[in-house]
Every structure is written in C-alpha cells, then in structure tokens.
Amino acid sequence: MFWTDPYDPPPGECVQCWAHAYDKSIHAQLAPDEDCADCLDHLDFDCPEEMIVY
Ligand SMILES: [Zn+2]
Ligand SMILES: [Zn+2]
C-alpha cells in the first residue's frame, strides 16, 4: 500500500513532515537556496508529539 496523500499521513508519521514531503507546492514557495524553517525545526528538535498521527 502506498501513502501518497500529503494530508492523510499513515500512523506514526508527523503531519507537517508528511505534508512537506509530499505536497511539493509547500517548498515551491521557498527560494532555491532557502531552507524550510518548519522542516528545520522538526529536524533539530524532533517532531512535536501532538503532530504525530496515531
Ligand atoms: Zn518543509
Ligand atoms: Zn515533523
């Protein structure tokens, strides 16, 4: 089974990281050399518990 709906992440996944990974339009708004602050935040501090799907 494949989970490719950006807004329907499988259990155990972070809703934000999932959306950013599969909804290309989110990162398309960034400059080519610009980092995504939301993604960096989760990379540096881990995904908030409340954003993980159960
Ligand atoms: Zn992102
Ligand atoms: Zn995350």
Side-chain angles (χ1 to χ4, degrees), residues 25-39:
S25 69
I26 296 176
H27 286 172
Q29 300 172 26
L30 299 170
D33 60 347
E34 186 180 2
D35 288 319
C36 177
D38 289 337
C39 284

Side-chain angles (χ1 to χ4, degrees), residues 12-49:
E13 296 291 340
C14 165
V15 288
Q16 177 186 284
C17 292
W18 191 261
H20 282 231
Y22 290 98
D23 185 350
K24 303 294 182 206
S25 69
I26 296 176
H27 286 172
Q29 300 172 26
L30 299 170
D33 60 347
E34 186 180 2
D35 288 319
C36 177
D38 289 337
C39 284
L40 278 184
D41 191 57
H42 282 205
L43 279 174
D44 289 345
F45 302 105
D46 289 335
C47 302
E49 192 90 358

